[in-house]
């Protein structure tokens, strides 16, 4: 009986979490006037069968904003364990699609969970900078984000987050052309990953200039 009640409570709690997240998503789209732009329709097709999504990291709100803009897709989000384990946030993270990663030490558990999600046809959002940009200056991309893409042979979809999360000012997610990283070559594997990571970074930050480009 006790086990039954516990299962019922867990089901109710999960339902509550999803309900709150759904309402939160509506609020995000209304308050920040969220808009998504696809620069190439191929990105939509790529995300139907599993892909690594990468974006610039301007704010702690990014990890909530992007999934809400892609609410029709099944998107998991990689989040640092420092936030994942916070007392107030942990219940939400564990019952929604968030994958923890420990940036303070060697951690491969996130790769296992990411690849499991990709095998199910889901997408996984990763912020390769690993921390927030300082004064709008991009951080170095950590090339490890490419490992699941290499192992599971899925595309990498670059995205640019445009805007400063000002209430009732348009916040945009600009989705670029899917990339197929080239993991072959005679160089060391680490060098190949760094090269492809840099290529991905260039695409991401080109997308962050989308609004300015459209004004010219």
């Amino acid at each position: 009986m006790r086990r039954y009640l516990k299962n019922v409570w867990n089901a109710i709690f999960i339902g509550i979490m999803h309900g709150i997240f759904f309402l939160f998503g509506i609020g995000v789209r209304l308050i920040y006037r969220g808009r998504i732009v696809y620069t190439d329709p191929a990105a939509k097709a790529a995300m139907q069968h599993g892909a690594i999504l990468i974006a610039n990291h301007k704010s702690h709100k990014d990890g909530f904003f992007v999934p809400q803009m892609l609410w029709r897709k099944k998107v998991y989000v990689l989040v640092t364990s420092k936030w994942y384990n916070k007392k107030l946030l942990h219940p939400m993270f564990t019952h929604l699609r968030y994958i923890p990663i420990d940036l303070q030490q060697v951690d491969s558990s996130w790769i296992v969970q990411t690849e499991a999600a990709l095998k199910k046809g889901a997408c996984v959002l990763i912020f390769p900078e690993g921390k927030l940009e300082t004064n709008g200056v991009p951080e170095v991309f950590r090339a490890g984000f490419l490992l699941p893409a290499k192992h599971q042979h899925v595309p990498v979809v670059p995205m640019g987050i445009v805007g400063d999360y000002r209430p009732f000012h348009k916040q945009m997610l600009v989705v670029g052309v899917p990339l197929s990283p080239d993991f072959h070559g005679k160089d060391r594997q680490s060098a190949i990953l760094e090269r492809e990571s840099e290529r991905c970074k260039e695409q991401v930050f080109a997308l962050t200039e989308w609004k300015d480009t459209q004004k010219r």
Side-chain angles (χ1 to χ4, degrees):
M1 183 66 176
R2 183 178 296 177
R3 184 175 181 180
Y4 172 76
L5 291 175
K6 183 178 180 180
N7 290 337
V8 170
W9 165 246
N10 285 338
I12 293 174
F13 184 76
I14 292 173
I16 292 173
M17 285 292 101
H18 281 275
I20 292 174
F21 199 63
F22 175 76
L23 294 175
F24 176 78
I26 294 176
V28 166
R29 290 191 288 274
L30 290 176
I31 294 174
Y32 296 117
R33 297 179 60 199
R35 180 188 172 198
I36 183 169
V37 176
Y38 289 93
T39 63
D40 190 309
K44 289 185 178 181
M47 286 191 276
Q48 292 297 326
H49 307 289
I52 293 294
L53 313 179
I54 57 172
N56 54 313
H57 203 10
K58 304 178 62 173
S59 165
H60 291 303
K61 299 183 180 74
D62 296 336
F64 298 102
F65 174 73
V66 176
Q68 294 301 341
M69 291 299 98
L70 299 170
W71 65 275
R72 295 178 185 274
K73 309 287 190 296
K74 192 172 184 179
V75 179
Y76 288 77
V77 182
L78 208 65
V79 60
T80 173
S81 56
K82 181 178 72 173
W83 283 93
Y84 188 91
N85 293 325
K86 282 185 179 294
K87 188 174 182 179
L88 293 178
L89 297 175
H90 186 70
M92 179 192 69
F93 284 140
T94 54
H95 289 92
L96 297 175
R97 298 187 187 115
Y98 287 86
I99 298 172
I101 176 173
D102 190 338
L103 298 176
Q104 304 305 315
Q105 59 185 356
V106 177
D107 178 15
S108 60
S109 63
W110 72 273
I111 298 178
V112 175
Q113 294 183 64
T114 295
E115 292 185 11
L118 293 172
K119 288 177 182 177
K120 293 187 293 187
C123 295
V124 180
L125 170 63
I126 300 176
F127 299 103
E129 291 170 282
K131 57 182 178 179
L132 299 182
E133 298 167 13
T134 304
N135 298 322
V137 179
E139 297 287 343
V140 175
F141 270 29
R142 301 186 181 202
F145 76 89
L146 288 169
L147 291 175
K150 177 187 176 186
H151 297 163
Q152 297 302 315
H153 308 288
V154 297
V156 175
V157 180
M159 302 184 298
I161 299 172
V162 181
D164 299 312
Y165 293 103
R166 295 167 60 196
F168 308 111
H169 287 72
K170 190 176 294 180
Q171 187 76 17
M172 299 179 63
L173 179 66
V174 185
V175 184
V177 180
L179 304 174
S180 297
D182 181 5
F183 296 113
H184 303 288
K186 297 181 179 179
D187 293 332
R188 298 188 318 276
Q189 192 61 45
S190 59
I192 292 174
L193 290 174
E194 289 293 341
R195 180 193 69 210
E196 293 303 304
S197 173
E198 187 61 28
R199 185 163 74 97
C200 290
K201 179 180 178 180
E202 291 174 359
Q203 293 298 314
V204 166
F205 286 99
L207 293 169
T208 63
E209 301 296 326
W210 189 87
K211 180 184 283 188
D212 293 336
T213 302
Q214 300 308 304
K215 287 181 178 179
R216 294 187 187 117

